Amino acid sequence: MKLKAIALAAAASIGISVGAANAEPVNLTLSGGNPGGLWSLLGAGMDRAVKAADSDSVITYQATGGGFANIGLLGANRTDLGMVHDAEVKLALNGEEPFQTPITNMMAIGYMYNWAPMHFFLRRDIAEEYNIDSLDDIATSGAPISIGINRSGNITGNVALFMLAEAGLDEATLTGNDGSFVRAGANEQGDLMQDRRIDMATNGIFIGHSSFRAIDENVDVVLLQIPQNVIEATNEAFGTSAYTIPANSYSKQPEAVQTMALGAMVVTTESMADETAYTLGKAFVENINEIRSVHKAMQQLDPDLMVSQTVLPFHPGAERAYKEAGLLK
């Protein structure tokens, strides 16, 4: 009996030490995007959130090529956390380009935003000459338009091409009208519009982003409407959501524009310990102001939004934290 009691005490001691280990500070790497971009700011906010819960916790931001690269790192278990767009996750789960095979080991920690709407700015002189006010007018207009598309590897380029194709404008139709696609990043498109080297800019970023402001302030443009069937097809293909750009968001936009918006989330893998994911979810909810404060565009973030993504299952540890907070049933 005495030996049995000693064994039970030892087992209890082991259980206590394991529990203590599970409660230890987190020390994780978050793969994001550009060093000075929004995702790097979100990384800093997440780091502050976990430090507010435990001053010894650390989330280290790692600059990468963006969501596609981060999914590759997660799929190979070479990073702890990754910032990814919902649209990129949908492609990865289905094994669609640029992924060779489905990547299925991902689990969500939390949604960070879902308000990065697709914009299609067209020069007003072309819009008026060819009677274009909606995306589906371009294909039948015969207009020789040079269209800016984000660089390969950026999901907004994939989405823009898909939406244009759904509206009847593929590359063959565009070139047949003496138009072309021009690959360029957000700020580059603004410069190209001002220099009249492209006629249309496309991107999915927050309303009032600096690149959009440059276009709005320096080029006479119209913001094209998007047909409902194009919005629905895009949301089905990419796991995105419908969105309304309010009237007068830009200086020459008197009417609201219906479109769709990309969202971004923090993702981990099945290999993360439940207690680690629980610690993250709990810290993010209880210290959400640390994340909100990184940029004015993040003021809309709230706990309900954080649990609203639907493209991935939540990690069981994070799910437990959200259930305790009354955010999930």
Side-chain angles (χ1 to χ4, degrees), residues 166-320:
E166 285 293 314
L169 187 74
D170 56 17
E171 189 161 16
T173 302
L174 184 62
T175 55
N177 293 337
D178 293 327
S180 63
F181 289 123
V182 178
R183 290 283 186 174
N187 292 323
E188 292 174 286
Q189 287 191 43
D191 292 338
L192 292 170
M193 285 285 282
Q194 292 179 59
D195 295 340
R196 302 187 71 91
R197 287 182 287 167
I198 62 172
D199 307 304
M200 187 164 123
T202 71
N203 219 335
I205 324 178
F206 301 143
I207 294 172
H209 184 269
S210 59
S211 63
F212 292 156
R213 290 201 311 272
I215 292 171
D216 186 47
E217 294 167 3
N218 298 296
V219 186
D220 191 8
V221 293
V222 296
L223 185 60
L224 297 182
Q225 294 284 348
I226 314 298
Q228 186 61 33
N229 67 298
V230 174
I231 295 171
E232 291 174 0
T234 307
N235 291 338
E236 176 67 24
F238 292 96
T240 48
S241 55
Y243 193 91
T244 300
I245 300 175
N248 301 310
S249 294
Y250 299 96
S251 63
K252 298 164 187 172
Q253 181 226 333
E255 298 180 352
V257 170
Q258 305 302 318
T259 182
M260 46 64 59
L262 295 99
M265 67 186 79
V266 187
V267 172
T268 187
T269 68
E270 299 165 346
S271 64
M272 177 173 279
D274 282 4
E275 285 303 316
T276 301
Y278 173 80
T279 297
L280 287 174
K282 184 176 175 65
F284 290 173
V285 169
E286 293 181 352
N287 304 294
I288 195 168
N289 283 336
E290 300 291 348
I291 303 173
R292 283 194 190 116
S293 65
V294 301
H295 192 282
K296 63 181 181 180
M298 292 304 301
Q299 293 303 306
Q300 301 175 61
L301 177 64
D302 61 30
D304 288 322
L305 185 281
M306 196 175 287
V307 301
S308 66
Q309 69 80 31
T310 58
V311 297
L312 276 179
F314 281 101
H315 191 290
E319 183 177 40
R320 175 161 63 95

Side-chain angles (χ1 to χ4, degrees), residues 74-95:
L74 289 162
N77 286 302
R78 291 172 53 198
T79 191
D80 302 310
L81 298 165
M83 286 295 301
V84 300
H85 289 103
D86 39 19
E88 292 160 339
V89 171
K90 192 75 180 286
L91 294 179
L93 292 174
N94 294 330

Side-chain angles (χ1 to χ4, degrees), residues 16 30 33 36 39 66 95 118 152 157 165 238 254:
I16 291 170
L30 169 68
W39 285 5
M118 286 297 298
S152 297
F238 292 96

Side-chain angles (χ1 to χ4, degrees), residues 27-31 47 58-62:
N27 187 345
L28 303 169
T29 296
L30 169 68
S31 297
D47 180 56
V58 176
I59 293 179
T60 302
Y61 183 80
Q62 171 180 279

